[in-house]
């Protein structure tokens, strides 16, 4: 046995390779500390703290050594201590309305995944109504958690009106579009998605196309309806009045029954996949083949859309990318750079393009 330090000390040191230190007897001791990381990297614990908090005044090789030590030891920073040291909570607040709908719910999941990857937690408050007092209470609850910023998922126009009346004193991001130059907005271009869906039906040869819209107080529903009408107008096709729905498959079924009775259409663009599902059910009950007699397009690409019968042609939104961009922008707003020498225009909002997923629910119209 080599001379030098006691055997137990050498064993203890040799096992400092995981997130939990292991003693010579094989028993777990305690998680790795910031000082363990500092010893392994050969730097001070203050330097490790600067790396954890993304301090700019560090040499790349020093930062690399510390990051390698953190990874080797599976070190997890003490969130409370980190918050006290940086005046940040490491938490993002989300105020969400109608999370039970697929779009808002998927957006929350996208934000949670993106936040976790950069070391943040997400605290969500669900809005029960658009009452100003309800919104004020939700924002107050987030402030009590000392969140670093807030993401607002408020699809209804009345919620945004109420928010306008409340001067937010926290960094925030909206997941909806109201103005082209608003730096607080990160959103999916709903109008472009609706135009792509409508253009697909027109390119197949359809001329008698109906639109099953969502509730018009929802920003997405209105944008999708406008995209449908604009695409028909550009193709010089007449449009029937959109049918205003409520996002549910039950409403889609009732609307499909009425449309099958009328019989004056060859294609339907539904504003979400659930209403498309209900409509397909009604058409089949009426003896109409989909897509032989009528083509149907949805919107959202819910996970079940590929298993509809027939599998549904629909518009997909990338909620993972939406969450990533949302978190990136929120953190940039919560930690702005030093005041520039010359005034600069704030960045415009970001938009993501959805894309059409063509499956088996669409085909050319039947012969006249």
């Amino acid at each position: 046995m080599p001379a030098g330090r006691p055997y137990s000390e050498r064993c203890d040191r040799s096992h400092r390779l995981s997130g939990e230190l292991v003693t010579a007897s094989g028993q777990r001791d305690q998680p790795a500390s910031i000082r363990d990381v500092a010893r392994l990297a050969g730097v001070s614990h203050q330097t490790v703290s600067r790396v954890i908090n993304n301090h700019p005044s560090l040499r790349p090789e020093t930062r690399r050594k510390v990051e390698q030590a953190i990874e080797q030891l599976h070190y997890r920073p003490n969130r409370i201590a980190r918050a006290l040291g940086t005046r940040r909570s490491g938490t993002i607040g989300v105020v969400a309305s109608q999370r039970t709908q697929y779009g808002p719910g998927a957006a929350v999941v996208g934000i949670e995944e993106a936040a976790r990857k950069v070391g943040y937690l997400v605290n969500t408050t669900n809005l029960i109504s658009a009452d100003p007092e309800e919104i004020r209470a939700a924002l107050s609850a987030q402030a009590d958690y000392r969140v670093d910023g807030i993401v607002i998922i408020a699809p209804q126009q009345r919620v945004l009106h109420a928010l306008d009346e409340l001067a937010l004193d926290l960094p925030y991001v909206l997941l909806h579009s109201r103005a082209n130059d608003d730096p607080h907005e990160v959103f999916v271009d709903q109008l472009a998605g609706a135009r792509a869906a409508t253009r697909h039906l027109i390119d197949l040869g359809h001329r008698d196309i109906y639109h099953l819209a969502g509730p018009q107080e929802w920003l997405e529903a209105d944008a999708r309806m406008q995209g449908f009408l604009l695409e028909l107008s550009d193709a010089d096709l007449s449009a029937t009045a959109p049918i205003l729905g409520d996002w549910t498959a039950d409403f889609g079924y009732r609307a499909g029954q009425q449309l099958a009775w009328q019989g004056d259409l060859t294609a339907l663009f539904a504003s979400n996949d659930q209403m498309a599902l209900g409509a397909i059910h009604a058409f089949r009950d009426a003896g109409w083949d989909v897509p032989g007699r009528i083509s149907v397009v949805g919107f959202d690409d819910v996970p079940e859309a590929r298993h509809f019968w027939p599998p549904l042609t629909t518009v997909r939104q990338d909620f993972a990318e939406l969450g990533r961009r949302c978190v990136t922008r929120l953190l940039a707003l919560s930690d702005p750079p030093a005041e520039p020498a010359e005034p600069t225009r704030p960045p415009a909002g970001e938009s993501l393009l959805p894309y059409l997923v063509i499956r088996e629910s669409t085909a050319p119209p039947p012969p006249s």
Side-chain angles (χ1 to χ4, degrees):
M1 180 182 301
R5 294 187 306 277
Y7 175 75
S8 60
E9 182 182 342
R10 293 198 305 274
C11 285
D12 178 64
R13 186 174 181 83
S14 69
H15 284 83
R16 292 176 182 266
L17 297 177
S18 64
E20 293 183 334
L21 304 185
V22 181
T23 64
S25 62
Q27 298 297 315
R28 291 181 178 181
D29 189 2
Q30 59 183 354
S33 70
I34 191 171
R35 295 184 184 277
D36 294 320
V37 174
R39 278 193 291 270
L40 184 59
V43 299
S44 68
H45 71 273
Q46 292 92 340
T47 298
V48 176
S49 178
R50 292 190 185 99
V51 171
I52 293 170
N53 294 309
N54 294 315
H55 198 281
S57 60
L58 285 170
R59 291 184 299 174
E61 58 269 26
T62 300
R63 182 182 297 276
R64 188 162 47 250
K65 284 196 304 182
V66 172
E67 289 174 344
Q68 289 173 348
I70 288 173
E71 182 177 358
Q72 183 176 349
L73 294 174
H74 303 293
Y75 171 66
R76 294 295 178 267
N78 184 309
R79 188 173 296 277
I80 296 175
R82 181 178 176 183
L84 291 173
T86 64
R87 295 185 180 180
R88 287 176 173 266
S89 66
T91 303
I92 292 172
V94 173
V95 175
S97 175
Q98 296 291 330
R99 188 179 175 179
T100 54
Q101 296 294 334
Y102 175 75
V108 171
V109 172
I111 292 166
E112 290 172 342
E113 291 177 349
R116 185 165 55 250
K117 288 179 180 178
V118 294
Y120 273 73
L121 298 176
V122 172
N123 181 65
T124 302
T125 301
N126 294 312
L127 287 176
I128 299 173
S129 72
D131 182 81
E133 288 303 319
E134 172 77 14
I135 298 171
R136 189 176 289 108
L139 295 174
S140 176
Q142 293 293 349
D144 288 345
Y145 280 101
R146 302 181 66 85
V147 296
D148 297 329
I150 297 177
V151 180
I152 300 169
I153 306 174
Q156 301 96 334
Q157 191 69 252
R158 68 182 188 276
V159 176
L160 295 181
H161 287 329
L163 287 169
D164 286 339
E165 297 173 0
L166 304 172
L168 290 179
D169 57 359
L170 279 171
Y172 71 94
V173 168
L174 285 171
L175 258 64
H176 311 283
S177 173
R178 296 186 298 175
N180 293 330
D181 57 353
D182 190 338
H184 298 282
E185 294 181 349
V186 180
F187 58 94
V188 175
D189 192 333
Q190 308 292 321
L191 188 142
R195 295 196 70 150
T198 309
R199 169 54 58 184
H200 171 63
L201 293 171
I202 293 171
D203 288 345
L204 286 173
H206 293 278
R207 298 297 178 264
D208 300 310
I209 308 170
Y210 275 65
H211 178 48
L212 182 51
Q216 288 311 286
E217 66 173 6
W218 283 60
L219 299 174
E220 286 93 342
D222 183 67
R224 293 170 194 177
M225 183 179 71
Q226 296 303 323
F228 167 76
L229 295 173
L230 285 171
E231 198 62 37
L232 286 184
S233 176
D234 286 355
D236 199 24
L237 295 175
S238 60
T240 56
I243 304 165
L244 302 185
D246 64 2
W247 297 132
T248 68
D250 284 344
F251 187 93
Y253 182 80
R254 294 193 299 271
Q257 287 179 311
Q258 179 65 29
L259 292 173
W261 180 79
Q262 291 176 205
D264 58 348
L265 74 162
T266 64
L268 175 69
F269 166 40
S271 194
N272 77 333
D273 291 345
Q274 285 85 356
M275 290 193 296
L277 172 62
I280 290 173
H281 183 187
F283 293 141
R284 288 194 173 278
D285 280 356
W288 287 24
D289 179 67
V290 181
R293 170 62 179 82
I294 186 166
S295 290
V296 178
V297 179
F299 204 109
D300 281 336
D301 195 25
V302 299
E304 299 82 7
R306 69 186 66 189
H307 303 295
F308 287 11
W309 186 252
L312 184 66
T313 296
T314 185
V315 178
R316 178 180 296 170
Q317 305 184 73
D318 189 343
F319 288 108
E321 178 64 14
L322 181 67
R324 187 191 68 77
R325 294 198 190 187
C326 173
V327 169
T328 298
R329 176 158 293 228
L330 183 63
L331 296 182
L333 291 171
S334 65
D335 189 19
E339 191 70 25
E342 298 181 2
T344 58
R345 185 179 179 184
E350 288 186 76
S351 65
L352 283 71
L353 282 175
Y355 54 97
L356 187 69
V357 179
I358 300 175
R359 297 194 179 102
E360 298 169 31
S361 66
T362 51
S368 300

Coordinates of all heavy atoms in Angstrom, one line a residue, residues 138-167:
A138 N -54.2 36.8 -10.0 CA -53.2 35.9 -10.6 C -51.8 36.5 -10.6 O -50.8 35.9 -10.3 CB -53.7 35.5 -11.9
L139 N -51.7 37.8 -11.1 CA -50.5 38.5 -11.2 C -49.9 38.7 -9.8 O -48.6 38.6 -9.6 CB -50.6 39.8 -11.9 CG -51.1 39.7 -13.4 CD1 -51.3 41.1 -13.9 CD2 -50.0 39.0 -14.2
S140 N -50.7 39.0 -8.8 CA -50.2 39.2 -7.4 C -49.7 37.9 -6.9 O -48.6 37.9 -6.2 CB -51.4 39.7 -6.6 OG -51.0 39.8 -5.2
A141 N -50.3 36.8 -7.2 CA -49.8 35.5 -6.7 C -48.4 35.2 -7.3 O -47.5 34.7 -6.6 CB -50.8 34.4 -7.1
Q142 N -48.2 35.6 -8.6 CA -46.9 35.4 -9.2 C -45.9 36.3 -8.6 O -44.7 35.9 -8.3 CB -47.0 35.6 -10.7 CG -47.8 34.6 -11.5 CD -47.2 33.2 -11.5 OE1 -46.1 33.0 -11.1 NE2 -48.0 32.2 -11.9
A143 N -46.3 37.5 -8.3 CA -45.3 38.5 -7.7 C -44.9 37.9 -6.3 O -43.7 38.1 -5.9 CB -45.9 39.8 -7.6
D144 N -45.8 37.3 -5.6 CA -45.5 36.8 -4.2 C -44.4 35.7 -4.3 O -43.7 35.5 -3.4 CB -46.8 36.2 -3.6 CG -47.7 37.3 -3.1 OD1 -47.3 38.4 -3.1 OD2 -48.9 36.9 -2.9
Y145 N -44.3 35.0 -5.5 CA -43.3 34.0 -5.7 C -42.0 34.6 -6.2 O -41.0 33.9 -6.4 CB -43.8 33.0 -6.7 CG -44.7 31.9 -6.1 CD1 -46.1 32.0 -6.3 CD2 -44.2 30.8 -5.4 CE1 -46.9 31.0 -5.8 CE2 -45.0 29.9 -4.9 CZ -46.4 30.0 -5.1 OH -47.2 29.0 -4.6
R146 N -42.0 35.9 -6.3 CA -40.8 36.7 -6.8 C -40.3 36.1 -8.1 O -39.1 35.9 -8.2 CB -39.7 36.7 -5.7 CG -40.2 37.3 -4.4 CD -39.1 37.3 -3.4 NE -38.0 38.2 -3.8 CZ -38.0 39.5 -3.6 NH1 -39.0 40.1 -3.0 NH2 -37.0 40.2 -4.0
V147 N -41.2 35.8 -9.1 CA -40.7 35.3 -10.3 C -39.9 36.3 -11.1 O -40.0 37.5 -10.9 CB -42.0 34.8 -11.2 CG1 -42.7 33.7 -10.5 CG2 -42.9 36.0 -11.5
D148 N -39.1 35.8 -12.0 CA -38.2 36.7 -12.7 C -38.9 37.3 -14.0 O -38.4 38.2 -14.6 CB -37.0 35.9 -13.2 CG -36.1 35.5 -12.0 OD1 -36.1 36.2 -11.0 OD2 -35.5 34.4 -12.2
G149 N -40.1 36.8 -14.3 CA -40.8 37.3 -15.4 C -42.1 36.4 -15.6 O -42.2 35.3 -15.0
I150 N -43.0 36.9 -16.4 CA -44.3 36.2 -16.5 C -44.6 36.0 -18.0 O -44.4 36.9 -18.9 CB -45.5 37.0 -15.9 CG1 -45.2 37.2 -14.4 CG2 -46.8 36.4 -16.1 CD1 -46.3 38.0 -13.7
V151 N -45.1 34.8 -18.3 CA -45.6 34.5 -19.6 C -47.1 34.5 -19.5 O -47.7 33.8 -18.6 CB -45.1 33.1 -20.1 CG1 -45.7 32.8 -21.5 CG2 -43.6 33.0 -20.2
I152 N -47.8 35.2 -20.4 CA -49.2 35.3 -20.4 C -49.8 34.6 -21.6 O -49.5 34.9 -22.7 CB -49.7 36.8 -20.4 CG1 -49.1 37.5 -19.2 CG2 -51.2 36.9 -20.4 CD1 -49.3 39.0 -19.2
I153 N -50.6 33.5 -21.3 CA -51.3 32.7 -22.4 C -52.7 33.0 -22.2 O -53.5 32.4 -21.4 CB -51.0 31.2 -22.2 CG1 -49.5 31.0 -22.1 CG2 -51.6 30.4 -23.4 CD1 -49.1 29.5 -21.8
A154 N -53.2 34.0 -22.9 CA -54.6 34.5 -22.8 C -55.2 34.6 -24.2 O -55.2 35.7 -24.8 CB -54.6 35.9 -22.1
P155 N -55.8 33.5 -24.6 CA -56.3 33.5 -26.0 C -57.5 34.4 -26.2 O -57.8 34.7 -27.4 CB -56.7 32.0 -26.2 CG -56.1 31.3 -25.1 CD -56.0 32.2 -24.0
Q156 N -58.2 34.8 -25.2 CA -59.4 35.6 -25.3 C -59.1 37.1 -25.3 O -58.3 37.6 -24.6 CB -60.5 35.3 -24.2 CG -60.9 33.9 -24.2 CD -60.1 33.1 -23.2 OE1 -59.0 33.4 -22.8 NE2 -60.7 32.0 -22.7
Q157 N -59.8 37.8 -26.2 CA -59.6 39.2 -26.4 C -59.9 40.0 -25.1 O -59.2 40.9 -24.7 CB -60.5 39.8 -27.5 CG -60.3 41.2 -27.9 CD -59.0 41.3 -28.6 OE1 -58.0 41.9 -28.1 NE2 -58.9 40.8 -29.9
R158 N -60.9 39.5 -24.3 CA -61.3 40.3 -23.1 C -60.2 40.2 -22.0 O -60.1 41.1 -21.2 CB -62.7 39.8 -22.6 CG -62.7 38.4 -22.1 CD -64.1 37.9 -21.6 NE -64.1 36.7 -20.9 CZ -64.1 35.5 -21.5 NH1 -64.2 35.4 -22.8 NH2 -64.1 34.4 -20.8
V159 N -59.5 39.0 -22.0 CA -58.4 38.9 -21.0 C -57.3 39.9 -21.3 O -56.8 40.6 -20.4 CB -57.9 37.5 -21.0 CG1 -56.7 37.4 -20.1 CG2 -58.9 36.5 -20.6
L160 N -57.0 40.1 -22.6 CA -55.9 41.0 -23.0 C -56.4 42.5 -22.7 O -55.6 43.3 -22.4 CB -55.6 40.8 -24.5 CG -54.9 39.5 -24.8 CD1 -54.5 39.4 -26.3 CD2 -53.7 39.3 -23.9
H161 N -57.7 42.8 -22.9 CA -58.2 44.1 -22.6 C -58.0 44.4 -21.1 O -57.6 45.5 -20.7 CB -59.6 44.2 -23.0 CG -59.9 44.3 -24.4 ND1 -59.0 44.9 -25.3 CD2 -60.9 43.9 -25.2 CE1 -59.5 44.8 -26.5 NE2 -60.6 44.2 -26.5
A162 N -58.3 43.4 -20.3 CA -58.1 43.5 -18.9 C -56.7 43.7 -18.5 O -56.3 44.5 -17.6 CB -58.7 42.3 -18.1
L163 N -55.8 43.0 -19.2 CA -54.3 43.2 -18.9 C -53.8 44.5 -19.3 O -53.0 45.1 -18.6 CB -53.5 42.1 -19.7 CG -53.7 40.7 -19.1 CD1 -53.0 39.7 -20.1 CD2 -53.0 40.5 -17.8
D164 N -54.4 45.1 -20.3 CA -54.0 46.4 -20.7 C -54.3 47.5 -19.7 O -53.6 48.5 -19.6 CB -54.7 46.8 -22.0 CG -54.1 46.1 -23.2 OD1 -53.0 45.6 -23.1 OD2 -54.8 46.0 -24.3
E165 N -55.3 47.2 -18.9 CA -55.7 48.2 -17.8 C -54.8 48.0 -16.6 O -54.8 48.9 -15.7 CB -57.1 47.9 -17.4 CG -58.1 48.2 -18.6 CD -59.5 47.8 -18.2 OE1 -59.7 47.3 -17.1 OE2 -60.4 48.0 -19.1
L166 N -54.0 47.0 -16.5 CA -53.1 46.7 -15.4 C -51.7 47.0 -15.9 O -51.2 46.3 -16.7 CB -53.3 45.3 -14.9 CG -54.7 44.9 -14.5 CD1 -54.7 43.4 -14.2 CD2 -55.1 45.7 -13.2
A167 N -51.0 47.9 -15.3 CA -49.6 48.2 -15.7 C -48.7 47.2 -15.1 O -48.5 47.2 -13.9 CB -49.3 49.6 -15.3

